[in-house]
Coordinates of all heavy atoms in Angstrom, one line a residue:
M1 N 43.5 16.9 59.6 CA 43.0 16.0 60.5 C 43.0 14.5 59.9 O 43.4 13.6 60.5 CB 41.6 16.3 61.0 CG 41.1 15.3 62.1 SD 39.6 16.0 62.8 CE 38.9 14.5 63.4
A2 N 42.6 14.5 58.6 CA 42.5 13.2 58.0 C 43.9 12.6 57.8 O 44.1 11.4 57.9 CB 41.8 13.4 56.6
N3 N 44.9 13.5 57.5 CA 46.2 12.9 57.2 C 46.8 12.4 58.6 O 47.6 11.5 58.6 CB 47.1 14.0 56.7 CG 46.9 14.3 55.3 OD1 46.3 13.5 54.6 ND2 47.2 15.5 54.8
N4 N 46.5 13.1 59.7 CA 46.9 12.7 61.0 C 46.4 11.3 61.3 O 47.1 10.4 61.9 CB 46.5 13.7 62.1 CG 47.3 14.9 62.0 OD1 48.4 15.0 61.4 ND2 46.8 15.9 62.7
A5 N 45.1 11.0 61.0 CA 44.5 9.8 61.2 C 45.1 8.7 60.4 O 45.3 7.6 60.9 CB 42.9 9.9 61.0
A6 N 45.4 9.0 59.2 CA 46.0 8.0 58.3 C 47.4 7.7 58.7 O 47.8 6.5 58.7 CB 46.0 8.6 56.8
E7 N 48.2 8.7 59.2 CA 49.5 8.5 59.7 C 49.5 7.6 60.9 O 50.3 6.7 61.1 CB 50.2 9.8 59.9 CG 51.7 9.7 60.3 CD 52.5 9.0 59.3 OE1 52.3 9.1 58.1 OE2 53.4 8.3 59.7
Y8 N 48.5 7.9 61.8 CA 48.4 7.1 63.0 C 48.1 5.7 62.7 O 48.7 4.8 63.3 CB 47.3 7.7 64.0 CG 47.0 6.9 65.1 CD1 47.9 6.9 66.3 CD2 45.9 6.0 65.1 CE1 47.6 6.1 67.3 CE2 45.7 5.2 66.2 CZ 46.5 5.3 67.3 OH 46.3 4.4 68.4
Y9 N 47.2 5.5 61.8 CA 46.8 4.2 61.4 C 47.9 3.4 60.7 O 48.1 2.2 60.9 CB 45.6 4.1 60.5 CG 44.9 2.8 60.6 CD1 44.0 2.5 61.5 CD2 45.2 1.8 59.7 CE1 43.3 1.3 61.6 CE2 44.6 0.6 59.7 CZ 43.7 0.3 60.7 OH 43.1 -0.8 60.7
R10 N 48.8 4.0 59.9 CA 50.0 3.4 59.3 C 50.9 2.9 60.3 O 51.4 1.8 60.3 CB 50.6 4.4 58.4 CG 50.1 4.5 57.0 CD 51.0 5.2 56.1 NE 51.0 6.6 56.2 CZ 50.1 7.5 55.7 NH1 49.1 6.9 54.9 NH2 50.1 8.8 55.8
V11 N 51.1 3.7 61.4 CA 52.0 3.3 62.6 C 51.4 2.1 63.2 O 52.0 1.1 63.5 CB 52.3 4.4 63.5 CG1 53.0 3.9 64.8 CG2 53.0 5.5 62.8
F12 N 50.0 2.2 63.4 CA 49.3 1.1 64.1 C 49.4 -0.2 63.2 O 49.6 -1.3 63.8 CB 47.9 1.5 64.3 CG 47.0 0.4 64.8 CD1 47.0 0.1 66.2 CD2 46.1 -0.2 64.0 CE1 46.2 -0.8 66.6 CE2 45.3 -1.2 64.4 CZ 45.3 -1.5 65.8
A13 N 49.2 -0.1 61.9 CA 49.2 -1.2 61.0 C 50.6 -1.9 61.1 O 50.7 -3.1 60.9 CB 48.9 -0.8 59.6
K14 N 51.6 -1.1 61.1 CA 53.0 -1.7 61.1 C 53.3 -2.5 62.4 O 53.9 -3.5 62.4 CB 54.0 -0.6 60.9 CG 54.1 -0.1 59.6 CD 55.2 1.0 59.5 CE 55.3 1.4 58.1 NZ 56.3 2.5 58.0
T15 N 52.7 -2.0 63.5 CA 53.0 -2.6 64.8 C 52.1 -3.8 65.2 O 52.5 -4.7 65.7 CB 53.0 -1.6 66.0 OG1 51.7 -0.9 66.0 CG2 54.1 -0.5 65.8
I16 N 50.9 -3.7 64.8 CA 49.9 -4.7 65.2 C 49.4 -5.5 64.0 O 48.9 -6.7 64.2 CB 48.7 -4.0 65.9 CG1 49.2 -3.3 67.2 CG2 47.6 -5.0 66.3 CD1 48.2 -2.6 68.0
N17 N 49.5 -5.0 62.8 CA 49.1 -5.8 61.6 C 47.7 -6.2 61.6 O 47.3 -7.3 61.6 CB 50.1 -6.9 61.5 CG 49.9 -7.6 60.1 OD1 49.4 -6.8 59.2 ND2 50.4 -8.7 59.9
P18 N 46.8 -5.2 61.6 CA 45.3 -5.6 61.5 C 44.9 -6.1 60.2 O 45.8 -6.0 59.2 CB 44.6 -4.2 61.9 CG 45.6 -3.2 61.3 CD 47.0 -3.8 61.6
N19 N 43.7 -6.4 60.0 CA 43.2 -6.8 58.8 C 43.3 -5.7 57.7 O 43.0 -4.6 58.0 CB 41.7 -7.2 59.1 CG 41.0 -7.6 57.8 OD1 41.4 -7.5 56.7 ND2 39.8 -8.3 58.0
N20 N 43.8 -6.1 56.5 CA 44.0 -5.1 55.5 C 42.7 -4.5 55.1 O 42.6 -3.3 54.7 CB 44.6 -5.7 54.3 CG 46.1 -6.1 54.6 OD1 46.7 -5.4 55.4 ND2 46.7 -7.0 53.9
Y21 N 41.6 -5.3 55.1 CA 40.3 -4.7 54.7 C 39.9 -3.6 55.6 O 39.3 -2.6 55.2 CB 39.2 -5.7 54.6 CG 37.9 -5.1 54.5 CD1 37.5 -4.6 53.3 CD2 37.0 -5.2 55.5 CE1 36.2 -4.0 53.2 CE2 35.7 -4.6 55.5 CZ 35.3 -4.0 54.3 OH 34.1 -3.3 54.1
A22 N 40.1 -3.8 57.0 CA 39.8 -2.8 58.0 C 40.5 -1.5 57.6 O 39.9 -0.4 57.8 CB 40.2 -3.3 59.4
F23 N 41.7 -1.5 57.1 CA 42.4 -0.3 56.8 C 41.7 0.4 55.6 O 41.6 1.5 55.5 CB 43.8 -0.6 56.5 CG 44.7 0.6 56.4 CD1 44.4 1.8 57.0 CD2 46.0 0.5 55.8 CE1 45.2 2.8 57.0 CE2 46.9 1.6 55.8 CZ 46.5 2.7 56.3
I24 N 41.4 -0.4 54.6 CA 40.7 0.0 53.3 C 39.4 0.7 53.7 O 39.0 1.7 53.3 CB 40.6 -1.1 52.4 CG1 41.9 -1.4 51.7 CG2 39.6 -0.6 51.2 CD1 41.9 -2.6 50.8
R25 N 38.7 0.0 54.6 CA 37.3 0.5 55.1 C 37.5 1.9 55.7 O 36.8 2.8 55.5 CB 36.7 -0.5 56.1 CG 35.4 -0.2 56.5 CD 34.9 -1.2 57.5 NE 33.5 -1.0 57.8 CZ 33.1 -0.3 58.8 NH1 34.0 0.4 59.6 NH2 31.8 -0.1 59.1
L26 N 38.5 2.0 56.6 CA 38.8 3.3 57.3 C 39.1 4.4 56.2 O 38.6 5.5 56.3 CB 40.0 3.1 58.2 CG 40.5 4.4 58.9 CD1 39.5 4.8 60.0 CD2 41.8 4.2 59.5
L27 N 40.0 4.0 55.3 CA 40.3 5.0 54.2 C 39.2 5.4 53.4 O 39.0 6.6 53.0 CB 41.5 4.6 53.4 CG 42.8 4.5 54.1 CD1 43.9 3.8 53.3 CD2 43.3 5.8 54.5
L28 N 38.3 4.5 53.1 CA 37.1 4.9 52.3 C 36.1 5.7 53.1 O 35.6 6.8 52.5 CB 36.3 3.5 52.0 CG 36.8 2.7 50.8 CD1 36.1 1.4 50.7 CD2 36.7 3.5 49.5
I29 N 36.0 5.5 54.3 CA 35.2 6.4 55.2 C 35.8 7.8 55.3 O 35.1 8.8 55.2 CB 35.0 5.8 56.6 CG1 34.1 4.5 56.5 CG2 34.3 6.8 57.6 CD1 34.0 3.7 57.7
E30 N 37.1 7.8 55.4 CA 37.9 9.1 55.5 C 37.6 9.9 54.2 O 37.5 11.1 54.2 CB 39.4 8.8 55.7 CG 40.2 10.0 55.8 CD 41.7 9.5 56.0 OE1 42.0 8.9 57.1 OE2 42.5 9.7 55.1
L31 N 37.8 9.2 53.0 CA 37.6 9.9 51.8 C 36.2 10.4 51.6 O 36.0 11.4 51.1 CB 38.0 8.9 50.6 CG 37.8 9.4 49.2 CD1 38.7 10.7 49.0 CD2 38.2 8.4 48.2
D32 N 35.2 9.5 52.0 CA 33.8 9.9 51.9 C 33.5 11.2 52.7 O 32.7 12.0 52.3 CB 32.9 8.7 52.3 CG 31.5 9.1 52.1 OD1 31.1 9.5 50.9 OD2 30.6 8.9 53.0
Q33 N 34.2 11.4 53.8 CA 34.0 12.5 54.7 C 34.8 13.7 54.2 O 34.6 14.8 54.8 CB 34.3 12.2 56.2 CG 33.3 11.1 56.7 CD 33.7 10.6 58.0 OE1 34.7 11.0 58.5 NE2 32.8 9.8 58.7
S34 N 35.7 13.5 53.3 CA 36.5 14.6 52.8 C 35.7 15.6 51.9 O 34.5 15.3 51.5 CB 37.6 14.1 51.9 OG 38.5 13.3 52.6
S35 N 36.2 16.7 51.7 CA 35.5 17.7 50.9 C 35.3 17.2 49.4 O 36.0 16.4 48.9 CB 36.3 19.0 50.8 OG 37.5 18.9 50.0
D36 N 34.3 17.8 48.8 CA 34.0 17.4 47.4 C 35.2 17.7 46.5 O 35.4 16.9 45.5 CB 32.8 18.1 46.8 CG 31.5 17.6 47.5 OD1 31.5 16.4 48.0 OD2 30.6 18.3 47.5
E37 N 36.0 18.7 46.8 CA 37.2 19.0 46.0 C 38.2 17.9 46.0 O 38.7 17.5 45.0 CB 37.7 20.3 46.5 CG 39.0 20.8 45.7 CD 39.5 22.1 46.3 OE1 38.7 23.0 46.5 OE2 40.7 22.1 46.5
I38 N 38.4 17.3 47.1 CA 39.3 16.2 47.2 C 38.7 14.9 46.6 O 39.4 14.3 45.9 CB 39.6 15.9 48.8 CG1 40.4 17.1 49.3 CG2 40.4 14.5 48.9 CD1 40.6 16.9 50.8
K39 N 37.5 14.7 46.8 CA 36.8 13.5 46.2 C 36.9 13.5 44.7 O 37.1 12.5 44.1 CB 35.3 13.4 46.5 CG 35.0 12.9 47.9 CD 33.5 12.7 48.0 CE 33.1 12.7 49.4 NZ 31.6 12.5 49.5
T40 N 36.8 14.7 44.0 CA 36.8 14.7 42.6 C 38.2 14.9 42.0 O 38.3 14.7 40.8 CB 36.0 15.9 42.1 OG1 36.4 17.1 42.7 CG2 34.5 15.8 42.5
S41 N 39.1 15.0 42.9 CA 40.5 15.3 42.3 C 41.3 14.0 42.4 O 42.4 13.9 41.8 CB 41.2 16.3 43.1 OG 41.5 15.9 44.4
V42 N 40.9 12.9 43.0 CA 41.7 11.7 43.2 C 40.8 10.5 43.0 O 39.6 10.5 43.3 CB 42.3 11.7 44.6 CG1 41.3 11.5 45.7 CG2 43.3 10.6 44.8
T43 N 41.4 9.4 42.4 CA 40.7 8.2 42.3 C 40.8 7.5 43.6 O 41.7 7.6 44.3 CB 41.2 7.3 41.2 OG1 42.5 6.9 41.5 CG2 41.2 8.0 39.8
V44 N 39.7 6.6 43.8 CA 39.7 5.8 45.1 C 40.9 4.9 45.2 O 41.5 4.9 46.3 CB 38.4 5.0 45.2 CG1 38.3 4.2 46.4 CG2 37.2 6.0 45.1
A45 N 41.1 4.2 44.2 CA 42.3 3.3 44.3 C 43.6 4.0 44.6 O 44.4 3.5 45.4 CB 42.4 2.5 42.9
S46 N 43.9 5.1 43.9 CA 45.2 5.8 44.1 C 45.1 6.4 45.6 O 46.2 6.4 46.2 CB 45.4 6.9 43.1 OG 44.5 7.9 43.2
Y47 N 44.1 6.8 46.0 CA 44.0 7.4 47.4 C 44.3 6.3 48.4 O 45.1 6.5 49.3 CB 42.5 7.9 47.6 CG 42.3 8.5 49.0 CD1 42.7 9.9 49.2 CD2 41.8 7.8 50.0 CE1 42.4 10.5 50.4 CE2 41.6 8.4 51.3 CZ 41.9 9.7 51.4 OH 41.7 10.3 52.7
I48 N 43.8 5.1 48.2 CA 44.1 4.0 49.2 C 45.5 3.5 49.0 O 46.2 3.3 50.0 CB 43.0 2.9 48.9 CG1 41.6 3.4 49.3 CG2 43.4 1.6 49.7 CD1 40.5 2.5 49.0
I49 N 45.9 3.2 47.8 CA 47.3 2.7 47.6 C 48.4 3.7 48.1 O 49.3 3.2 48.8 CB 47.4 2.4 46.1 CG1 46.6 1.2 45.7 CG2 48.9 2.1 45.9 CD1 46.5 1.1 44.2
K50 N 48.1 4.9 47.9 CA 49.1 5.9 48.3 C 49.2 6.0 49.9 O 50.3 6.1 50.4 CB 48.7 7.3 47.8 CG 49.6 8.4 48.2 CD 49.1 9.7 47.5 CE 49.9 10.9 48.0 NZ 49.4 12.1 47.3
R51 N 48.2 5.8 50.6 CA 48.1 5.8 52.1 C 48.4 4.5 52.8 O 48.7 4.5 54.0 CB 46.9 6.5 52.5 CG 46.8 7.9 52.2 CD 45.4 8.5 52.2 NE 45.4 9.9 52.0 CZ 45.6 10.5 50.8 NH1 45.8 9.7 49.7 NH2 45.6 11.8 50.6
S52 N 48.2 3.4 52.1 CA 48.2 2.1 52.8 C 49.4 1.3 52.4 O 49.7 0.3 53.1 CB 47.0 1.3 52.5 OG 46.9 0.9 51.2
W53 N 50.0 1.5 51.3 CA 51.1 0.6 50.8 C 50.6 -0.8 50.5 O 51.5 -1.7 50.5 CB 52.3 0.7 51.7 CG 52.9 2.1 51.8 CD1 53.3 2.9 50.9 CD2 53.0 2.7 53.1 NE1 53.7 4.1 51.4 CE2 53.6 4.0 52.8 CE3 52.8 2.4 54.4 CZ2 53.9 4.9 53.8 CZ3 53.1 3.4 55.4 CH2 53.7 4.6 55.0
L54 N 49.3 -1.0 50.3 CA 48.8 -2.3 50.0 C 49.0 -2.5 48.5 O 49.1 -1.5 47.7 CB 47.3 -2.5 50.3 CG 47.0 -2.4 51.8 CD1 45.5 -2.3 52.0 CD2 47.6 -3.6 52.5
S55 N 48.9 -3.7 48.0 CA 49.1 -4.0 46.6 C 48.0 -3.5 45.8 O 46.8 -3.5 46.2 CB 49.3 -5.5 46.4 OG 48.1 -6.2 46.5
R56 N 48.2 -3.0 44.6 CA 47.2 -2.5 43.7 C 46.2 -3.6 43.4 O 45.0 -3.4 43.4 CB 47.9 -2.0 42.4 CG 46.8 -1.6 41.4 CD 47.6 -0.9 40.2 NE 46.8 -0.7 39.0 CZ 45.8 0.2 38.9 NH1 45.4 0.9 39.9 NH2 45.1 0.3 37.8
S57 N 46.6 -4.8 43.2 CA 45.7 -5.9 42.9 C 44.7 -6.2 44.0 O 43.6 -6.4 43.8 CB 46.5 -7.2 42.5 OG 47.3 -7.6 43.6
Y58 N 45.2 -6.1 45.3 CA 44.3 -6.4 46.4 C 43.3 -5.2 46.5 O 42.1 -5.5 46.8 CB 45.1 -6.5 47.7 CG 44.2 -6.8 48.9 CD1 43.6 -8.1 49.1 CD2 44.0 -5.8 49.9 CE1 42.8 -8.2 50.2 CE2 43.2 -6.0 50.9 CZ 42.6 -7.2 51.1 OH 41.7 -7.4 52.2
V59 N 43.8 -4.0 46.5 CA 42.9 -2.9 46.5 C 41.8 -2.9 45.4 O 40.6 -2.7 45.7 CB 43.7 -1.5 46.4 CG1 42.7 -0.3 46.4 CG2 44.6 -1.4 47.7
M60 N 42.2 -3.3 44.2 CA 41.2 -3.3 43.1 C 40.3 -4.5 43.4 O 39.1 -4.3 43.1 CB 41.9 -3.5 41.8 CG 42.9 -2.3 41.4 SD 42.0 -0.8 41.5 CE 41.2 -0.8 39.9
L61 N 40.7 -5.5 43.9 CA 39.8 -6.7 44.3 C 38.7 -6.3 45.3 O 37.6 -6.5 45.1 CB 40.7 -7.9 44.8 CG 39.8 -9.0 45.3 CD1 39.0 -9.8 44.2 CD2 40.7 -10.0 46.1
V62 N 39.2 -5.6 46.4 CA 38.3 -5.2 47.3 C 37.3 -4.1 46.9 O 36.0 -4.3 47.1 CB 39.0 -4.6 48.6 CG1 38.1 -3.9 49.6 CG2 39.8 -5.7 49.2
L63 N 37.8 -3.2 46.1 CA 36.9 -2.2 45.5 C 35.9 -2.8 44.5 O 34.7 -2.5 44.5 CB 37.7 -1.1 44.8 CG 38.5 -0.2 45.7 CD1 39.3 0.8 44.9 CD2 37.6 0.5 46.7
S64 N 36.3 -3.7 43.7 CA 35.5 -4.5 42.8 C 34.3 -5.2 43.6 O 33.2 -5.1 43.1 CB 36.3 -5.4 42.0 OG 35.4 -6.2 41.2
E65 N 34.7 -5.9 44.6 CA 33.7 -6.6 45.3 C 32.7 -5.7 46.1 O 31.5 -6.0 46.2 CB 34.4 -7.6 46.4 CG 35.1 -8.7 45.8 CD 34.2 -9.7 44.9 OE1 33.1 -9.9 45.4 OE2 34.6 -10.1 43.8
L66 N 33.2 -4.6 46.6 CA 32.4 -3.6 47.2 C 31.4 -3.0 46.2 O 30.2 -2.7 46.6 CB 33.1 -2.5 47.9 CG 33.9 -2.9 49.2 CD1 34.8 -1.9 49.7 CD2 33.1 -3.4 50.3
R67 N 31.8 -2.8 45.0 CA 30.9 -2.3 44.0 C 29.9 -3.3 43.5 O 28.7 -2.9 43.4 CB 31.7 -1.8 42.7 CG 32.5 -0.6 42.9 CD 33.2 -0.1 41.7 NE 32.2 0.3 40.8 CZ 32.5 0.7 39.5 NH1 33.7 0.6 39.1 NH2 31.6 1.1 38.6
K68 N 30.3 -4.5 43.4 CA 29.3 -5.6 43.1 C 28.3 -5.8 44.2 O 27.1 -6.0 43.8 CB 30.1 -6.9 42.9 CG 30.9 -7.1 41.7 CD 31.5 -8.4 41.6 CE 32.5 -8.5 40.5 NZ 33.3 -9.7 40.5
G69 N 28.7 -5.6 45.4 CA 27.7 -5.8 46.5 C 27.0 -4.5 46.7 O 26.1 -4.4 47.7
D70 N 27.1 -3.5 45.9 CA 26.4 -2.2 46.0 C 26.7 -1.5 47.3 O 25.8 -0.8 47.8 CB 24.9 -2.4 45.8 CG 24.3 -1.3 45.0 OD1 25.0 -0.7 44.3 OD2 23.0 -1.2 45.1
Y71 N 27.8 -1.6 47.9 CA 28.2 -1.0 49.1 C 28.8 0.5 48.8 O 28.6 1.4 49.6 CB 29.3 -1.8 49.9 CG 28.7 -3.0 50.4 CD1 29.2 -4.3 49.9 CD2 27.9 -3.1 51.5 CE1 28.7 -5.5 50.3 CE2 27.5 -4.3 52.0 CZ 27.9 -5.5 51.4 OH 27.4 -6.7 51.8
I72 N 29.5 0.5 47.6 CA 30.0 1.9 47.3 C 29.6 2.1 45.8 O 29.4 1.2 45.1 CB 31.5 1.9 47.3 CG1 32.3 0.9 46.4 CG2 32.0 1.7 48.8 CD1 33.7 1.0 46.4
H73 N 29.5 3.4 45.5 CA 29.2 3.8 44.2 C 30.3 4.7 43.7 O 30.7 5.7 44.3 CB 27.9 4.7 44.2 CG 26.8 3.8 44.7 ND1 26.1 2.8 44.0 CD2 26.2 3.8 45.9 CE1 25.2 2.2 44.7 NE2 25.2 2.8 45.9
M74 N 30.9 4.4 42.5 CA 32.0 5.1 41.9 C 31.7 5.4 40.5 O 30.9 4.7 39.8 CB 33.2 4.2 42.0 CG 33.7 3.9 43.3 SD 35.1 2.7 43.4 CE 36.1 3.0 42.1
E75 N 32.3 6.5 40.0 CA 32.1 6.9 38.6 C 33.5 7.4 38.1 O 34.0 8.3 38.7 CB 31.0 8.0 38.5 CG 30.7 8.3 37.1 CD 29.5 9.3 37.0 OE1 28.5 8.9 37.6 OE2 29.7 10.3 36.4
N76 N 34.0 6.7 37.0 CA 35.3 7.1 36.5 C 36.4 6.9 37.6 O 37.3 7.8 37.6 CB 35.3 8.4 35.9 CG 34.4 8.6 34.7 OD1 34.3 7.5 33.9 ND2 33.8 9.7 34.5
G77 N 36.2 6.0 38.5 CA 37.2 5.8 39.5 C 37.1 6.7 40.8 O 37.8 6.6 41.7
K78 N 36.2 7.7 40.7 CA 35.9 8.6 41.8 C 34.8 8.1 42.7 O 33.8 7.5 42.2 CB 35.5 10.0 41.2 CG 36.4 10.5 40.1 CD 37.7 11.0 40.6 CE 38.4 11.7 39.3 NZ 39.7 11.8 39.2
L79 N 34.9 8.3 44.0 CA 33.9 7.9 44.9 C 32.8 8.9 44.8 O 32.9 10.0 45.0 CB 34.5 7.9 46.3 CG 33.6 7.4 47.4 CD1 33.2 5.9 47.2 CD2 34.2 7.6 48.8
I80 N 31.6 8.3 44.6 CA 30.3 9.0 44.6 C 29.7 9.0 45.9 O 29.3 10.0 46.5 CB 29.4 8.5 43.5 CG1 30.0 8.6 42.1 CG2 28.1 9.3 43.5 CD1 30.5 10.0 41.6
S81 N 29.5 7.8 46.4 CA 28.9 7.6 47.7 C 29.1 6.2 48.3 O 29.5 5.3 47.6 CB 27.4 7.9 47.7 OG 26.8 6.8 46.9
I82 N 29.0 6.1 49.6 CA 29.0 4.8 50.3 C 27.6 4.6 50.9 O 27.1 5.4 51.6 CB 30.0 4.9 51.4 CG1 31.5 5.2 50.9 CG2 30.0 3.7 52.3 CD1 32.6 5.3 52.0
T83 N 27.1 3.5 50.5 CA 25.8 3.0 51.0 C 26.0 2.5 52.5 O 25.4 3.0 53.4 CB 25.2 1.9 50.2 OG1 25.1 2.3 48.8 CG2 23.8 1.6 50.7
S84 N 26.8 1.5 52.7 CA 27.3 1.1 53.9 C 28.4 0.1 53.7 O 28.5 -0.5 52.6 CB 26.1 0.2 54.7 OG 25.9 -0.9 53.9
L85 N 29.3 -0.1 54.6 CA 30.4 -1.0 54.4 C 30.4 -2.1 55.4 O 30.1 -1.9 56.6 CB 31.7 -0.2 54.6 CG 32.1 0.8 53.6 CD1 33.3 1.7 54.0 CD2 32.3 0.3 52.2
P86 N 30.5 -3.3 54.9 CA 30.5 -4.4 55.8 C 31.7 -4.4 56.8 O 32.8 -3.8 56.4 CB 30.6 -5.7 55.0 CG 31.2 -5.2 53.7 CD 30.8 -3.8 53.5
E87 N 31.6 -4.9 58.0 CA 32.7 -4.9 58.9 C 33.8 -5.8 58.5 O 34.9 -5.6 58.8 CB 32.1 -5.4 60.4 CG 31.2 -4.4 61.0 CD 31.9 -3.1 61.4 OE1 33.0 -3.2 61.8 OE2 31.2 -2.0 61.3
R88 N 33.4 -6.9 57.9 CA 34.4 -7.9 57.4 C 34.4 -8.1 55.9 O 33.3 -8.0 55.3 CB 34.2 -9.2 58.1 CG 34.4 -9.1 59.6 CD 34.2 -10.5 60.3 NE 34.4 -10.4 61.7 CZ 35.3 -10.8 62.3 NH1 36.3 -11.5 61.8 NH2 35.4 -10.7 63.7
F89 N 35.4 -8.5 55.4 CA 35.5 -8.8 53.9 C 35.7 -10.2 53.7 O 36.4 -10.9 54.3 CB 36.7 -8.0 53.3 CG 36.9 -8.2 51.8 CD1 35.9 -7.8 50.9 CD2 37.9 -8.9 51.3 CE1 36.1 -8.0 49.6 CE2 38.1 -9.1 50.0 CZ 37.1 -8.6 49.1

């Protein structure tokens, strides 16, 4: 189901071009709702980059700011939890 949502959003992103942060936010929520096995097997950055085709530098910038704002908690690049995510970046 998660892959279908990501594929749908990729098509949507190509046709309508929404805010890149909105896509990252969606993928973070998707990853957070995934099983613990998936969460521990992939880094957040690689998960987002692989599914979004956004630049590594932009993804790292957003993740860095979300960590500074205490919105997400990561350890060794893995997602531990999401406190809350702002609607806009």
Side-chain angles (χ1 to χ4, degrees):
M1 182 171 160
N3 288 336
N4 290 340
E7 184 61 34
Y8 174 78
Y9 201 87
R10 276 194 282 277
V11 171
F12 174 78
K14 286 181 180 179
T15 57
I16 298 180
N17 195 14
N19 181 343
N20 289 334
Y21 169 72
F23 194 21
I24 290 175
R25 184 177 186 276
L26 175 74
L27 290 172
L28 281 170
I29 292 169
E30 181 181 293
L31 180 59
D32 188 48
Q33 294 173 351
S34 298
S35 67
D36 288 337
E37 183 179 311
I38 293 172
K39 280 189 203 180
T40 58
S41 67
V42 66
T43 63
V44 178
S46 67
Y47 183 84
I48 293 170
I49 292 167
K50 183 177 173 183
R51 287 162 177 76
S52 68
W53 301 305
L54 294 171
S55 71
R56 178 172 165 69
S57 59
Y58 180 73
V59 170
M60 297 306 280
L61 171 71
V62 171
L63 292 176
S64 173
E65 292 298 318
L66 290 174
R67 286 184 72 186
K68 285 179 190 175
D70 217 22
Y71 295 107
I72 62 173
H73 302 284
M74 295 170 38
E75 187 173 306
N76 296 328
K78 315 281 190 211
L79 183 66
I80 302 300
S81 66
I82 296 176
T83 306
S84 65
L85 292 172
E87 291 293 324
R88 296 180 182 252
F89 179 68

